[in-house]
Coordinates of all heavy atoms in Angstrom, one line a residue:
S598 N 0.8 -1.2 0.0 CA 0.0 0.0 0.0 C 0.9 1.2 0.0 O 2.0 1.2 0.5 CB -0.9 0.0 1.2 OG -1.8 -1.1 1.2
C599 N 0.4 2.3 -0.6 CA 1.1 3.6 -0.6 C 0.0 4.7 -0.4 O -0.9 4.8 -1.2 CB 1.7 3.8 -2.0 SG 2.5 5.4 -2.2
V600 N 0.2 5.4 0.8 CA -0.8 6.4 1.1 C -0.2 7.8 0.8 O 1.0 8.0 1.2 CB -1.1 6.3 2.6 CG1 -2.1 7.4 3.0 CG2 -1.7 5.0 2.9
A601 N -0.9 8.6 0.1 CA -0.4 9.9 -0.3 C -1.1 11.0 0.5 O -2.3 10.9 0.9 CB -0.7 10.1 -1.8
S602 N -0.4 12.1 0.7 CA -1.0 13.3 1.4 C -0.3 14.5 0.9 O 0.8 14.5 0.3 CB -0.8 13.2 2.9 OG 0.5 13.1 3.3
G603 N -0.9 15.7 1.1 CA -0.2 17.0 0.7 C -0.7 17.6 -0.5 O -0.5 18.8 -0.7
R604 N -1.3 16.9 -1.5 CA -1.8 17.4 -2.7 C -3.1 16.7 -3.1 O -3.6 15.9 -2.3 CB -0.7 17.3 -3.8 CG 0.5 18.2 -3.7 CD 0.1 19.7 -3.8 NE -0.1 20.0 -5.2 CZ -0.6 21.2 -5.7 NH1 -0.9 22.1 -4.8 NH2 -0.8 21.4 -6.9
T605 N -3.6 17.0 -4.3 CA -4.8 16.4 -4.8 C -4.4 15.0 -5.4 O -3.9 15.0 -6.5 CB -5.5 17.2 -5.8 OG1 -5.8 18.5 -5.2 CG2 -6.8 16.6 -6.3
F606 N -4.6 14.0 -4.6 CA -4.1 12.6 -5.1 C -4.8 12.2 -6.4 O -4.1 11.6 -7.2 CB -4.4 11.6 -3.9 CG -4.1 10.2 -4.3 CD1 -2.8 9.8 -4.3 CD2 -5.1 9.3 -4.6 CE1 -2.5 8.4 -4.7 CE2 -4.9 8.0 -4.9 CZ -3.6 7.6 -5.0
S607 N -6.0 12.5 -6.6 CA -6.7 12.0 -7.8 C -6.2 12.6 -9.1 O -6.5 12.0 -10.1 CB -8.2 12.3 -7.7 OG -8.4 13.7 -7.6
S608 N -5.4 13.6 -9.0 CA -4.8 14.2 -10.3 C -3.5 13.6 -10.6 O -2.9 14.0 -11.7 CB -4.7 15.7 -10.1 OG -3.7 16.0 -9.2
Y609 N -3.0 12.7 -9.9 CA -1.6 12.1 -10.1 C -1.7 10.7 -10.7 O -2.5 9.9 -10.4 CB -0.9 12.0 -8.7 CG -0.3 13.2 -8.2 CD1 -1.2 14.2 -7.6 CD2 1.0 13.5 -8.2 CE1 -0.6 15.4 -7.1 CE2 1.6 14.7 -7.7 CZ 0.7 15.6 -7.1 OH 1.3 16.8 -6.6
A610 N -0.7 10.5 -11.7 CA -0.4 9.2 -12.1 C 0.5 8.6 -11.0 O 1.3 9.3 -10.4 CB 0.3 9.2 -13.4
M611 N 0.3 7.3 -10.7 CA 1.1 6.6 -9.7 C 1.8 5.5 -10.2 O 1.3 4.8 -11.1 CB 0.1 6.2 -8.6 CG -0.7 7.2 -7.9 SD 0.2 8.5 -7.0 CE 0.9 7.4 -5.7
G612 N 3.0 5.2 -9.7 CA 3.8 4.1 -10.2 C 4.5 3.3 -9.0 O 4.6 3.9 -7.9
W613 N 4.8 2.1 -9.3 CA 5.6 1.3 -8.4 C 6.9 0.9 -9.1 O 6.9 0.5 -10.3 CB 4.9 0.0 -8.0 CG 3.8 0.2 -7.1 CD1 2.5 0.3 -7.3 CD2 3.9 0.3 -5.6 NE1 1.7 0.4 -6.1 CE2 2.6 0.4 -5.1 CE3 5.0 0.2 -4.8 CZ2 2.4 0.5 -3.7 CZ3 4.8 0.4 -3.4 CH2 3.5 0.5 -2.9
F614 N 8.0 1.1 -8.4 CA 9.3 0.7 -8.9 C 10.0 -0.2 -7.9 O 9.6 -0.2 -6.7 CB 10.2 1.9 -9.2 CG 9.6 2.8 -10.3 CD1 8.6 3.6 -10.2 CD2 10.2 2.7 -11.6 CE1 8.1 4.4 -11.2 CE2 9.7 3.4 -12.7 CZ 8.7 4.3 -12.5
R615 N 11.1 -0.9 -8.3 CA 11.8 -1.7 -7.3 C 13.3 -1.7 -7.7 O 13.7 -1.5 -8.8 CB 11.3 -3.2 -7.3 CG 11.5 -3.9 -8.6 CD 10.8 -5.3 -8.6 NE 11.0 -6.1 -9.8 CZ 10.5 -7.2 -10.0 NH1 9.6 -7.7 -9.2 NH2 10.7 -7.9 -11.2
Q616 N 14.1 -1.9 -6.6 CA 15.5 -1.8 -6.8 C 16.1 -2.9 -5.9 O 16.0 -2.9 -4.7 CB 16.1 -0.5 -6.4 CG 17.6 -0.3 -6.7 CD 18.0 1.2 -6.6 OE1 17.3 2.0 -5.9 NE2 19.1 1.5 -7.2
A617 N 16.8 -3.8 -6.5 CA 17.6 -4.9 -5.8 C 19.0 -4.5 -5.7 O 19.5 -3.6 -6.4 CB 17.5 -6.2 -6.6
P618 N 19.7 -5.1 -4.7 CA 21.1 -4.7 -4.5 C 22.0 -4.9 -5.8 O 21.9 -5.9 -6.4 CB 21.6 -5.7 -3.4 CG 20.4 -6.0 -2.7 CD 19.3 -6.0 -3.7
G619 N 22.7 -3.8 -6.1 CA 23.6 -3.8 -7.3 C 22.8 -3.7 -8.6 O 23.4 -3.8 -9.7
K620 N 21.5 -3.4 -8.5 CA 20.7 -3.2 -9.7 C 20.2 -1.8 -9.9 O 20.1 -1.1 -8.9 CB 19.5 -4.2 -9.7 CG 19.9 -5.7 -9.5 CD 20.7 -6.2 -10.7 CE 20.9 -7.7 -10.6 NZ 21.7 -8.3 -11.7
D621 N 19.7 -1.5 -11.1 CA 19.0 -0.2 -11.3 C 17.6 -0.2 -10.7 O 17.1 -1.3 -10.4 CB 18.9 0.1 -12.8 CG 20.2 0.3 -13.5 OD1 21.2 0.7 -12.8 OD2 20.3 -0.1 -14.7
R622 N 17.1 0.9 -10.6 CA 15.7 1.0 -10.1 C 14.8 0.8 -11.3 O 14.8 1.5 -12.3 CB 15.4 2.4 -9.5 CG 14.0 2.5 -9.0 CD 13.8 3.8 -8.1 NE 14.7 3.8 -7.0 CZ 14.6 4.7 -6.0 NH1 13.8 5.7 -6.1 NH2 15.5 4.6 -5.0
D623 N 14.0 -0.3 -11.3 CA 13.2 -0.8 -12.4 C 11.8 -0.5 -12.3 O 11.2 -0.6 -11.2 CB 13.4 -2.3 -12.6 CG 14.8 -2.7 -13.1 OD1 15.5 -1.9 -13.7 OD2 15.3 -3.8 -12.7
F624 N 11.1 -0.3 -13.4 CA 9.7 -0.1 -13.5 C 9.0 -1.4 -13.2 O 9.4 -2.5 -13.6 CB 9.3 0.4 -14.9 CG 7.8 0.3 -15.2 CD1 7.0 1.3 -14.6 CD2 7.3 -0.6 -16.0 CE1 5.6 1.2 -14.9 CE2 6.0 -0.7 -16.3 CZ 5.1 0.2 -15.7
V625 N 7.9 -1.3 -12.4 CA 7.0 -2.4 -12.1 C 5.6 -2.2 -12.6 O 5.1 -3.1 -13.4 CB 6.9 -2.7 -10.6 CG1 6.0 -3.8 -10.2 CG2 8.3 -3.0 -10.0
A626 N 5.0 -1.1 -12.3 CA 3.6 -0.9 -12.7 C 3.2 0.6 -12.6 O 3.9 1.3 -11.8 CB 2.6 -1.8 -11.9
T627 N 2.3 1.0 -13.3 CA 1.8 2.4 -13.2 C 0.3 2.4 -13.5 O -0.2 1.6 -14.2 CB 2.6 3.3 -14.2 OG1 2.2 4.7 -13.9 CG2 2.3 3.0 -15.6
I628 N -0.4 3.5 -13.0 CA -1.8 3.6 -13.2 C -2.2 5.1 -13.3 O -1.6 6.0 -12.6 CB -2.5 3.0 -12.0 CG1 -4.1 2.9 -12.2 CG2 -2.2 3.7 -10.7 CD1 -4.8 2.1 -11.1
N629 N -3.1 5.4 -14.2 CA -3.5 6.8 -14.4 C -4.5 7.3 -13.3 O -4.9 6.5 -12.4 CB -4.1 7.0 -15.8 CG -5.5 6.6 -15.9 OD1 -5.9 5.5 -15.3 ND2 -6.4 7.4 -16.5
W630 N -4.9 8.5 -13.4 CA -5.7 9.2 -12.3 C -7.0 8.5 -12.0 O -7.4 8.4 -10.9 CB -5.9 10.6 -12.6 CG -6.8 10.9 -13.7 CD1 -6.5 11.0 -15.1 CD2 -8.3 11.0 -13.7 NE1 -7.7 11.2 -15.8 CE2 -8.7 11.2 -15.0 CE3 -9.2 11.0 -12.6 CZ2 -10.1 11.4 -15.3 CZ3 -10.5 11.2 -12.9 CH2 -11.0 11.4 -14.2
S631 N -7.6 8.0 -13.1 CA -8.9 7.3 -12.9 C -8.8 5.8 -12.7 O -9.9 5.2 -12.3 CB -9.8 7.6 -14.2 OG -9.3 6.8 -15.3
G632 N -7.7 5.3 -12.9 CA -7.5 3.8 -12.7 C -7.8 3.0 -14.0 O -7.7 1.8 -13.9
G633 N -8.2 3.7 -15.0 CA -8.6 3.0 -16.3 C -7.5 2.6 -17.2 O -7.7 1.8 -18.1
V634 N -6.3 3.1 -17.0 CA -5.1 2.8 -17.8 C -4.0 2.3 -16.9 O -3.6 3.0 -15.9 CB -4.6 4.0 -18.6 CG1 -3.4 3.6 -19.4 CG2 -5.7 4.5 -19.5
R635 N -3.6 1.1 -17.1 CA -2.5 0.4 -16.3 C -1.5 -0.2 -17.2 O -1.8 -0.8 -18.2 CB -3.1 -0.6 -15.4 CG -4.1 -0.1 -14.4 CD -4.9 -1.2 -13.7 NE -5.7 -1.9 -14.6 CZ -6.9 -1.5 -14.9 NH1 -7.5 -0.4 -14.4 NH2 -7.6 -2.3 -15.8
Y636 N -0.2 -0.1 -16.8 CA 0.9 -0.7 -17.5 C 1.7 -1.5 -16.6 O 1.8 -1.1 -15.4 CB 1.8 0.3 -18.2 CG 1.1 1.2 -19.3 CD1 1.3 2.6 -19.3 CD2 0.3 0.6 -20.3 CE1 0.7 3.4 -20.2 CE2 -0.3 1.4 -21.2 CZ -0.1 2.8 -21.2 OH -0.7 3.6 -22.1
Y637 N 2.3 -2.6 -17.1 CA 3.1 -3.5 -16.2 C 4.4 -3.8 -16.9 O 4.4 -3.9 -18.2 CB 2.4 -4.8 -15.9 CG 1.1 -4.6 -15.1 CD1 -0.1 -4.5 -15.8 CD2 1.1 -4.6 -13.7 CE1 -1.3 -4.3 -15.0 CE2 -0.1 -4.5 -13.0 CZ -1.3 -4.3 -13.7 OH -2.4 -4.2 -12.9
A638 N 5.4 -4.1 -16.2 CA 6.6 -4.6 -16.7 C 6.4 -6.1 -17.1 O 5.6 -6.8 -16.5 CB 7.8 -4.6 -15.7
D639 N 7.0 -6.5 -18.2 CA 6.8 -7.9 -18.7 C 7.1 -8.9 -17.6 O 6.4 -10.0 -17.6 CB 7.7 -8.1 -19.9 CG 7.2 -7.4 -21.1 OD1 6.0 -7.0 -21.2 OD2 8.0 -7.3 -22.1
S640 N 8.0 -8.6 -16.7 CA 8.4 -9.6 -15.7 C 7.4 -9.9 -14.7 O 7.4 -10.9 -14.0 CB 9.7 -9.1 -15.0 OG 9.6 -7.9 -14.4

């Protein structure tokens, strides 16, 4: 879970990324403001 505060949350695109030791920070998933558009890493 990721809880947001401080601005209008509904206007933001949100993403998840991950970083393993010795690795780059990689894209995992993202979602638009309405939740209707979602993208995922192939992995």
Side-chain angles (χ1 to χ4, degrees):
S598 298
C599 174
V600 179
S602 62
R604 292 290 288 172
T605 304
F606 175 75
S607 61
S608 68
Y609 282 77
M611 304 294 297
W613 286 99
F614 294 79
R615 65 188 183 186
Q616 188 167 21
K620 305 291 185 180
D621 295 330
R622 185 169 296 188
D623 292 331
F624 167 74
V625 176
T627 186
I628 188 168
N629 79 318
W630 69 270
S631 69
V634 178
R635 296 170 295 276
Y636 299 133
Y637 298 93
D639 288 342
S640 59

